[in-house]
Amino acid sequence: MIWKRIFGRSRDDDTPYVLYGLLVTQARSPVFYTEMGVPDTAEGRFEMVALHVHLALRRLRAGGQAGKELGQKLFDVLFDDMDQTLREMGVGDLSVGKKIKALAQSFYGRMQAYDEALADDGDKLEAALRRNILPDTAMAGDHAARLAAYVRQAEMELAAQPVEDILLGRVVFTQPGKAEIEGAS
């Protein structure tokens, strides 16, 4: 059995991990935390990873059965990572399952809210981001507008990339910079 894991792995087995790594790297872009008001906390980082995984899952829907399968694997990698992170943070074995279940439920709720908001040209996306990611501060509205502009731009960028590339674990995001942020306000 162990030999199969070592020698029997195909490149397809690595794809969800590679894709997840790219999404996490994007979600950890400092600009989200320094310029867009996302709290630099475990919760804030989870929210940004979940947002980027959601965007990738939306794009994978166009990939037919292969997209559906990779999407499920990506979801599994996300929650395996959350499980490991909780354990590293000192959460006890008996509590991890409950916390993962709660995170999964919140992830599904956010996916639904973001899907509905992205289908709307109004301010639903800003409201969903403000509610789920941004703290209630005087700058929350401005930060929500900037973050919403980034999300819409990222979704367009993903839509422009061939789904075949994403199925191979290749995805490219434009790094949000100060110029893009200022242009979004």
Side-chain angles (χ1 to χ4, degrees):
M1 193 85 136
I2 193 165
W3 297 111
K4 184 174 182 184
R5 277 190 246 147
I6 294 171
F7 296 109
R9 287 183 63 173
S10 72
R11 188 178 179 311
D12 292 341
D13 294 336
D14 291 334
T15 302
Y17 295 97
V18 171
L19 184 56
Y20 181 71
L22 293 169
L23 297 171
V24 168
T25 298
Q26 182 69 9
R28 289 185 176 166
S29 295
V31 72
F32 295 126
Y33 308 95
T34 60
E35 301 290 333
M36 293 188 189
V38 176
D40 194 3
T41 62
E43 293 82 10
R45 288 179 179 258
F46 168 76
E47 292 294 347
M48 290 307 294
V49 170
L51 176 63
H52 284 84
V53 168
H54 169 260
L55 290 170
L57 291 174
R58 281 178 61 88
R59 182 64 179 117
L60 285 170
R61 290 177 192 161
Q65 185 62 30
K68 182 178 179 181
E69 290 172 9
L70 180 56
Q72 181 60 55
K73 290 176 184 177
L74 181 60
F75 176 86
D76 293 344
V77 170
L78 168 66
F79 283 96
D80 284 347
D81 184 40
M82 292 304 114
D83 181 286
Q84 183 64 33
T85 299
L86 288 170
R87 291 174 193 280
E88 289 173 1
M89 292 171 62
V91 175
D93 289 340
L94 297 175
S95 299
V96 169
K98 292 176 190 172
K99 291 193 179 285
I100 291 296
K101 183 177 180 180
L103 285 172
Q105 289 174 336
S106 74
F107 179 77
Y108 282 124
R110 281 156 176 68
M111 281 184 59
Q112 182 177 357
Y114 295 150
D115 278 341
E116 290 172 7
L118 285 165
D120 180 70
D121 289 335
D123 61 353
K124 282 187 179 181
L125 183 57
E126 287 181 33
L129 294 169
R130 198 171 26 256
R131 184 174 57 250
N132 295 319
I133 299 176
L134 300 171
D136 191 21
T137 65
M139 291 291 293
D142 184 46
H143 289 149
R146 292 175 176 181
L147 190 54
Y150 163 78
V151 169
R152 290 195 188 282
Q153 179 64 35
E155 183 181 41
M156 288 188 319
E157 289 174 355
L158 285 170
Q161 296 173 48
V163 74
E164 295 79 17
D165 285 354
I166 297 170
L167 290 169
L168 293 172
R170 295 188 299 245
V171 64
V172 178
F173 288 99
T174 300
Q175 290 297 318
K178 221 170 186 163
E180 289 88 357
I181 294 169
E182 289 168 359
S185 54

